[in-house]
Amino acid sequence: MDSQPKLRVLFSRQEIAATVSRLATEISQDYHDKYPLLISILKGSFMFLADLIRHLDFPLEVDFIGLASYGKGRHTSGKIKVVQSLRSPIKDREVLVIEDIVDTGLTTAFCLDYLRQKKPASLKLCVLTDKPSRRQVPVTIDYLGFTVPNKFLVGYGLDWDEKFRNLPDICFIEDED
Ligand code: 5GP
């Protein structure tokens, strides 16, 4: 069996809950009368989406898109493809993309370009964690939870080789000596 990495908590479940609530307030102000479509990028943002929408008490719809980039390693290949398509037409919809983490920006930039081609009425981005030190392409984040250091994060939906998504806190993997 693989040796398990050492994990340290970066953001506790209480800090995450407060941040999700703050984001929901911002989103509510802008979208309460817009009947938006929230598009969650799988798999990492499912937990964030689930917590976020419980704070949104206005009509909305949810859809999911699956993108693949990382494979099993820690670094992006830079090649991104759609592995699970949207169910909903997004033409003329007010679309808000829900993303777990922006690292190099390649995945999010690809996703926004892909969605923009389908001619939504508007397209904005809500991101739980942003790692700006690693950016390769610019990405405009409209609603941001946390800015994070250049560490590999797991928990609260984020995985390491498909593991640790179920951790309620956001943790980082300590570098091995
Ligand atoms: P980007 O294309 O911005 O480099 O990376 C976006 C995707 O890479 C994220 O959706 C996520 O799947 C993965 N990723 C980037 N940084 C991390 C990280 O620190 N932890 C985990 N678990 N995934 C990451």
Side-chain angles (χ1 to χ4, degrees), residues 63-137:
D63 202 351
F64 297 90
I65 187 168
L67 302 175
S69 63
Y70 255 51
K72 288 189 158 196
R74 282 202 196 185
H75 299 289
T76 183
S77 65
K79 292 193 190 106
I80 293 123
K81 59 180 179 176
V82 177
V83 293
Q84 183 178 319
S85 305
L86 293 172
R87 293 287 182 94
S88 329
I90 68 165
K91 189 169 186 308
D92 299 328
R93 293 297 307 264
E94 309 279 349
V95 172
L96 178 61
V97 174
I98 308 296
E99 176 62 304
D100 49 354
I101 187 162
V102 179
D103 184 25
T104 64
L106 292 166
T107 307
T108 315
F110 171 91
C111 182
L112 293 174
D113 283 349
Y114 173 83
L115 296 175
R116 206 172 283 117
Q117 287 169 21
K118 299 182 182 292
K119 306 256 187 292
S122 69
L123 183 61
K124 285 192 179 183
L125 176 64
C126 173
V127 171
L128 183 61
T129 60
D130 179 27
K131 218 190 269 182
S133 57
R134 300 231 326 141
R135 198 71 93 252
Q136 290 179 21
V137 291

